[in-house]
Amino acid sequence: MSFTRRNLLLLATAIGIAAGPATAYAADVLNVGAYPTNPPFEYKNESGTFEGFEVDIVNEAAKRIGMTTEIADLGFQALFAATTSKRIDVAISSITINPERLKSQAFTQPYYDSDMGIAAKADSPIKAEADLKGKIIGVLSGSTGEAWTKQHQETGGFSEVKGYDTQQNLLLDLSAGRVDAAVSDVPGLEYSFTRMKDLAVKARIKTGEQYGLMMAKDHPLLGKLNDALTAMKKDGTLAAIHKKWFGSDAPADSSTVKEMPMPKA
């Protein structure tokens, strides 16, 4: 068979197309969305770079599937639309896996177990859920703290539930006395209170919450990232990341250490 110059060009193009996806995939970028003021899970340092427990997790998981990450600064509520629209591949920000979210989102297996807490001024008489009657409660809009507070508002007799766009604004209002208490995830609260000495977690709300990487339901990388998390648990990498950011060993029976099934709707 004789080949003209045009034939050779077409053949070269076809070979390039065939090889292209494999090469592009190996060097591909995992687009991640994160809420920027959620230490120690994720936050921006002085240079504007994201750091934190979940940042280390997603960076390592991406590395293990041959990818690098680019992390975009998004509001907490915006993360859900961003994964659904595929503006981003993955959302991190201590996002609780729950049945309502699983209707529209997919999650990897969990990697962190948490509870919610009731926070107030350190000298506040609030010590338990019963003490919230007649009080103004602050929450992060779109969070499970907001869902719990609104669900219990009538039975608990809360006078008002105020939503905030950032945890920082919520805690500043708590410190200033514009809300009587805040309901949010315990780890983030305790980390913030290492600097805001006038505030404290006054009670825990046992919820069995677990965090995972959130993605679109049909995302082709969901299984690969889930497998990467399994490997990170088995070789101790996830436990080491926990130790780095929380200063303690993850409980032996926690989702940070144990391989867990991928959540299903």
Side-chain angles (χ1 to χ4, degrees), residues 95-129:
I95 304 172
T96 300
I97 304 164
N98 63 32
E100 187 62 31
R101 288 172 177 165
L102 284 167
K103 292 177 182 177
S104 59
Q105 307 285 342
F107 286 85
T108 62
Q109 64 180 291
Y111 48 71
Y112 189 83
D113 304 337
S114 181
D115 288 323
M116 284 190 296
I118 297 170
K121 287 190 174 183
D123 59 359
S124 168
I126 293 173
K127 295 181 179 178
E129 183 182 334

Side-chain angles (χ1 to χ4, degrees), residues 132-209:
L132 298 179
K133 185 175 181 179
K135 300 293 194 274
I136 301 172
I137 315 301
V139 295
L140 179 65
S141 296
S143 69
T144 52
E146 179 184 50
W148 181 91
T149 305
K150 288 186 173 180
Q151 181 183 353
H152 292 81
Q153 184 173 7
E154 185 174 346
T155 57
F158 314 150
S159 67
E160 184 183 351
V161 177
K162 292 182 68 174
Y164 290 82
D165 59 345
T166 69
Q167 184 96 326
Q168 181 180 12
N169 288 339
L170 165 59
L171 297 181
L172 286 173
D173 265 17
L174 180 62
S175 182
R178 286 185 280 270
V179 295
D180 300 301
V183 175
S184 191
D185 297 324
V186 169
L189 290 172
E190 289 184 334
Y191 185 87
S192 296
F193 298 164
T194 60
R195 291 167 294 168
M196 303 178 76
K197 303 293 187 181
D198 61 325
L199 302 178
V201 176
K202 307 302 285 282
R204 280 181 175 257
I205 302 169
K206 298 296 290 183
T207 61
E209 290 186 65

Side-chain angles (χ1 to χ4, degrees), residues 66-87:
M67 302 180 79
T68 58
T69 63
E70 285 188 5
I71 305 180
D73 178 339
L74 294 174
F76 186 77
Q77 287 182 297
L79 293 170
F80 299 88
T83 51
T84 302
S85 66
K86 299 183 181 175
R87 175 184 169 192

